[in-house]
Amino acid sequence: MSTVKLLSYNIRSLRDDPAAVVRVIRAAAPDVVIVQEAPRFGRWRSACAALARRTGLLWVSGNRRAGANLVLCTMAVRTVQRFTVSFTDRPRLHHRGAAAVVLELAGARFAVAGTHLDLIEQPRLAHLDELAAFAGARLAGVPLIVGGDLNAVPGSATWQRCAQFGVDAYQAVGAGDGFTYSALAPVRRIDAVFADPRLRPVSAEVLDSPDVRIASDHRPLLVHFELPD
């Protein structure tokens, strides 16, 4: 049975400690990283490329139109297809979207979509419906992992809507409260990973270290999945 380690991490546009972000990612040794709040202004392409290079990963999907979401992978993971999902804009709100990709590891094919939802619930729900429609049209038949910064807590309408994508990995196999925000004194679980039941979560952990506490305002979530044969 093949396995994949996926890291979900809001890096706050590298505004805190970029070197610590790199160390956190490298220490976690993930196969796939979904990044929220990647650099989106100025020389953002150079900054995103440098992040991938310094972490030893490949930048395989995502850009400004994807709402500053990225997908990074190791060279062991083959990219089959990549997509930029641009959600419907709302007046006076940030542009939102998702970075999506179909991947293959050790012969097992799966899809990943990383997103960062709005602070307001109505747009969050609408954008989740847009993501579900995209997945149904473009990723049908491929086991899908959806994760990122939901800006909502368990029990909310947003969290319930995310259940359409599958199992809440941390709820299934994580230990403790799973709080991810803020990095220094976490009091809320607003980052999550949901997966198709064909992708069995083996472990889920909110990372903590001295580097985690200075790298960003979120703690990263690391989930280990068994891939289908």
Side-chain angles (χ1 to χ4, degrees):
M1 183 71 71
S2 302
T3 63
V4 61
K5 283 203 299 184
L6 179 138
L7 186 75
S8 177
Y9 198 8
N10 183 322
I11 63 171
R12 211 166 83 99
S13 299
L14 297 175
R15 293 199 302 267
D16 295 298
D17 191 327
V21 169
V22 170
R23 293 193 297 269
V24 168
I25 294 174
R26 293 185 72 97
D31 301 296
V32 181
V33 184
I34 49 176
V35 174
Q36 303 91 52
E37 287 197 48
R40 69 167 83 189
F41 301 113
R43 296 173 59 85
W44 65 271
R45 292 181 183 84
S46 297
C48 291
L51 174 66
R53 183 177 64 253
R54 294 174 67 197
T55 55
L57 301 170
L58 302 175
W59 172 14
V60 298
S61 183
N63 50 35
R64 290 178 65 179
R65 291 300 299 159
N69 294 284
L70 305 180
V71 180
L72 311 177
C73 296
T74 67
M75 292 188 67
V77 181
R78 186 171 77 89
T79 301
V80 180
Q81 286 180 290
R82 67 194 77 199
F83 306 93
T84 295
V85 186
S86 185
F87 296 151
T88 302
D89 287 330
R90 298 298 180 97
R92 297 182 297 278
L93 297 180
H94 289 299
H95 173 71
R96 303 290 177 174
V101 63
V102 178
L103 302 171
E104 190 171 271
L105 178 61
R109 189 165 291 192
F110 60 101
V112 172
T115 191
H116 181 195
L117 299 179
D118 205 88
L119 293 168
I120 301 171
E121 187 159 79
Q122 186 177 11
R124 289 199 298 263
L125 298 176
H127 291 158
L128 286 171
D129 287 344
E130 291 182 34
L131 183 57
F134 160 80
R138 306 299 297 272
L139 304 175
V142 183
L144 172 64
I145 300 169
V146 173
D149 178 356
L150 306 184
N151 271 319
V153 297
S156 64
T158 296
W159 211 274
Q160 293 168 23
R161 190 70 56 90
C162 285
Q164 68 187 308
F165 299 112
V167 177
D168 175 352
Y170 194 87
Q171 183 180 48
V173 296
D177 53 39
F179 291 165
T180 58
Y181 185 84
S182 65
L184 204 56
V187 294
R188 302 173 69 208
R189 181 156 90 98
I190 63 173
D191 300 85
V193 170
F194 294 80
D196 184 294
R198 288 172 288 179
L199 299 161
R200 189 176 77 85
V202 176
S203 64
E205 177 188 6
V206 177
L207 302 183
D208 182 25
S209 70
D211 276 334
V212 165
R213 298 184 183 202
I214 63 173
S216 175
D217 61 343
H218 284 245
R219 293 188 177 188
L221 174 61
L222 182 66
V223 183
H224 197 171
F225 290 101
E226 282 186 354
L227 298 174
D229 292 331

